Amino acid sequence: MRELKFIETIRQRAGNARSGVKLGIGDDAAVLEYDKSKYLLWADDMLVEGTHFTKEDDSFDVGWKAVAVNISDIAAMGGIPKYITVSLGCSGKHSGKYLSKLYDGIFAICKKFGIQVVGGDTNKSDKFIIDVSIIGFVEKKRLITRKGARIGDLILVTGPIRNGRLTHLSFTPRLQESRVLGVYKITAMIDVSDGLSMDLNRLCERSKVGAQIYASSITLVPGLSLDDALYYGESFELLFTIPPKEIEKIKNDRKISDSIFVIGSVVSSSQGVKIMTSSNENKRLKIAGFKHF
Amino acid sequence: MRELKFIETIRQRAGNARSGVKLGIGDDAAVLEYDKSKYLLWADDMLVEGTHFTKEDDSFDVGWKAVAVNISDIAAMGGIPKYITVSLGCSGKHSGKYLSKLYDGIFAICKKFGIQVVGGDTNKSDKFIIDVSIIGFVEKKRLITRKGARIGDLILVTGPIRNGRLTHLSFTPRLQESRVLGVYKITAMIDVSDGLSMDLNRLCERSKVGAQIYASSITLVPGLSLDDALYYGESFELLFTIPPKEIEKIKNDRKISDSIFVIGSVVSSSQGVKIMTSSNENKRLKIAGFKHF
């Protein structure tokens, strides 16, 4: 995957995190020192017309999604989103009404999650571009990264897994679920933006482990194919790992018990990332997903 | 100006700054509470191929500029830049070499100014897009905004004003100058991204004042026309106001005395924003500049 290699190259060039930085490139958000009890979380996601949405899509939904994907990044770290900036690329062909509805969507999701819009920038571009940068906070003891899954941990995902093809413009980020999970011992977490396969591979790579998952355990919304869940992405579910002894506690918590599903367990990195299919073949889970390049 | 009106509409919809926010939309950077002695500054700027650079431009310069414009925003608030995230839009036609040189430029300017790259994102886009988000800090007593110019203040600009047409991809942000100025009483400041005219009008609007400037006092680099200095932009000089009694102190400071020029003074808003031309006509300074829409 060109993107994974590219990000790894940049991560190496950026070097180790230095003063003030707890965690740099390579997770859902950067983690900066803030005060004695909290870290500052910082993420940035860009949506481009023709890639993440079409010019026929309702701009309310485009605005909603641009903020939602960023909230999802903060949720994946266990945090609470607080502030966003919005940078646009647009041209004269994008009407005042288009922009006004875009901001209706932005303000609607910001209101729902208690987020303030504090800055922005507008630029000329034929294709519509929206880039949202988000700042949130997380209690130090609740910070969850992609690094930390250990052999023997259970692998879980929120769900039933949504159909990204249908809901990618209107999904609700799993922030509430993340905050409920935050009181338990979560060893690693990532949001599923590019399909279970790619994001599970990312989590495993950062944690230096392998994974064994079971197709029969992956719970899907009606109409969603397993292939789409694995390789299409845009479900924005949370994929996470827990020590086995945590499962009973979580399963007894009614705030979350119905929306999490055990799909497998963490194994050694030498075993790779595998899926047991419905026909009982144990296959390597190929690294493929939503293409960003 | 459609852009100014649009930003004002969004500023009104965003409402007053609430908990944790010292200053939201409408300045070079958002200002967030940080600790007892410092504010956190946060800005975001997007560059789009065909608008801010061409596909023939050296990608080293594109990377440099994308960071430089953000450093300039932090300088305009009196602060020190610390961290950036980099989001890209690119496609298969942008070679590994193009991306590698882009990051050479990014890391070169980051090294020069002590900035860490802590995050990023890549997306598919035919036209190249680079969006940099920046976090910096400023001592509370050194924060400078666009709001605060008072009638009778002098208006100054760093310079001689650079030729944006020639240097817009390779300029050095006026960070050092900003930090030297920070020990004096600066009442308002903005960086000149869109030409003296538009940015002076912005500063006056936020400060609810007018301005009287003098063409004969505007010091330009050789070859730059006054019209370009007023209306073309991309010089990224700092435009600021000071109480008259500060001028002697600043003029005696050798670290800055050669690189600042008094170009006029602040008047009441009812007088508008005017320029005395070289033929002694006092004209309204029209609000025109680099078009973002």
Side-chain angles (χ1 to χ4, degrees), chain A residues 195-264:
Chain A
L196 267 182
S197 169
M198 186 179 287
D199 288 312
L200 178 58
N201 271 286
R202 283 180 174 134
L203 186 148
C204 287
E205 195 179 303
R206 290 289 281 168
S207 291
K208 301 190 195 312
V209 296
Q212 175 66 60
I213 64 170
Y214 300 87
S216 58
S217 303
I218 300 175
T219 307
L220 313 167
V221 294
L224 176 65
S225 73
L226 181 63
D227 263 13
D228 267 5
L230 292 174
Y231 306 117
Y232 182 77
E234 303 251 41
S235 72
F236 296 100
E237 301 295 350
L238 295 173
L239 178 68
F240 59 101
T241 58
I242 61 171
K245 65 181 165 50
E246 288 293 288
I247 190 65
E248 282 312 311
K249 285 185 248 172
I250 299 181
K251 278 289 181 194
N252 285 329
D253 185 340
R254 288 192 184 174
K255 292 194 295 294
I256 194 77
S257 54
D258 289 345
S259 41
I260 54 165
F261 300 87
V262 177
I263 62 167

Side-chain angles (χ1 to χ4, degrees), chain A residues 104-159:
Chain A
D104 289 344
I106 290 171
F107 284 117
I109 189 165
C110 283
K111 191 176 175 195
K112 184 177 170 74
F113 289 103
I115 295 168
Q116 289 184 67
V117 181
V118 300
D121 176 37
T122 56
N123 304 279
K124 197 163 66 181
S125 170
D126 283 343
K127 289 205 174 175
F128 199 77
I129 308 162
I130 177 167
D131 185 283
V132 171
S133 189
I134 194 163
I135 283 180
F137 298 95
V138 63
E139 303 86 343
K140 286 191 174 176
K141 59 176 193 261
R142 276 187 168 217
L143 174 70
I144 310 167
T145 71
R146 293 179 184 178
K147 202 170 173 170
R150 288 171 303 193
I151 296 171
D153 282 355
L154 298 177
I155 301 170
L156 291 88
V157 66
T158 56

Side-chain angles (χ1 to χ4, degrees), chain B:
Chain B
M1 288 300 303
R2 188 176 171 210
E3 187 189 1
L4 294 183
K5 277 188 201 147
F6 176 65
I7 292 171
E8 184 53 29
T9 305
I10 300 309
R11 202 168 69 79
Q12 284 170 8
R13 287 188 63 176
N16 290 328
R18 297 186 297 280
S19 68
V21 181
K22 169 78 177 163
L23 188 63
I25 295 169
D27 218 300
D28 290 289
V31 184
L32 304 182
E33 295 291 348
Y34 186 70
D35 65 18
K36 273 188 186 169
S37 63
K38 292 194 292 290
Y39 292 119
L40 184 150
L41 302 171
W42 183 24
D44 189 286
D45 272 300
M46 179 190 287
L47 304 186
V48 183
E49 183 188 306
T51 300
H52 303 92
F53 60 94
T54 70
K55 63 172 189 264
E56 288 76 25
D57 284 326
D58 190 326
S59 59
F60 181 100
D61 294 340
V62 174
W64 177 282
K65 178 179 182 173
V67 181
V69 296
N70 278 282
I71 295 174
S72 186
D73 283 332
I74 299 297
M77 311 296 288
I80 298 174
K82 294 293 279 185
Y83 314 112
I84 61 165
T85 63
V86 180
S87 288
L88 302 181
C90 56
S91 74
K93 71 182 175 193
H94 300 105
S95 67
K97 193 177 169 195
Y98 185 91
L99 295 176
S100 177
K101 285 186 76 183
L102 178 93
Y103 269 92
D104 289 344
I106 290 171
F107 283 117
I109 189 165
C110 283
K111 191 175 175 195
K112 183 176 171 73
F113 289 102
I115 295 168
Q116 290 184 65
V117 182
V118 300
D121 177 37
T122 56
N123 303 280
K124 197 163 65 181
S125 171
D126 284 342
K127 289 205 174 175
F128 199 76
I129 308 162
I130 177 166
D131 185 283
V132 171
S133 190
I134 194 163
I135 283 180
F137 298 95
V138 62
E139 303 85 341
K140 286 191 174 178
K141 59 176 192 259
R142 278 189 168 215
L143 173 69
I144 311 167
T145 71
R146 295 179 183 178
K147 202 171 175 170
R150 287 171 303 193
I151 296 171
D153 282 354
L154 298 176
I155 301 171
L156 292 89
V157 66
T158 56
I161 294 174
R162 297 178 287 204
N163 188 339
R165 288 184 198 272
L166 301 178
T167 62
H168 75 106
L169 283 170
S170 59
F171 75 95
T172 297
R174 297 290 192 197
L175 184 65
Q176 201 183 326
E177 292 81 354
S178 163
R179 293 300 295 174
V180 173
L181 290 169
V183 303
Y184 301 102
K185 187 165 172 46
I186 309 297
T187 49
M189 186 149 70
I190 188 171
D191 74 327
V192 183
S193 53
D194 299 322
L196 267 182
S197 169
M198 185 177 288
D199 288 311
L200 177 58
N201 271 287
R202 282 180 175 135
L203 186 148
C204 286
E205 194 180 304
R206 289 291 280 169
S207 290
K208 300 190 196 312
V209 295
Q212 174 67 59
I213 65 170
Y214 300 87
S216 58
S217 304
I218 301 175
T219 307
L220 311 168
V221 295
L224 176 63
S225 72
L226 180 64
D227 262 14
D228 267 5
L230 292 174
Y231 306 117
Y232 182 78
E234 303 251 41
S235 71
F236 296 100
E237 302 294 351
L238 294 173
L239 177 68
F240 59 100
T241 57
I242 60 170
K245 66 181 166 48
E246 288 293 289
I247 190 67
E248 282 312 310
K249 286 186 250 173
I250 299 181
K251 277 289 180 195
N252 284 329
D253 185 339
R254 287 193 183 173
K255 293 195 294 294
I256 194 79
S257 54
D258 289 346
S259 41
I260 53 163
F261 300 87
V262 177
I263 62 167
S265 60
V266 177
V267 297
S268 77
S269 60
S270 61
Q271 294 176 260
V273 177
K274 287 182 178 158
I275 184 167
M276 183 70 78
T277 67
S278 53
S279 53
N280 277 324
E281 282 181 279
N282 204 14
K283 285 187 169 172
R284 183 162 208 98
L285 190 60
K286 62 178 193 278
I287 306 181
F290 192 78
K291 298 280 189 305
H292 286 281
F293 276 6

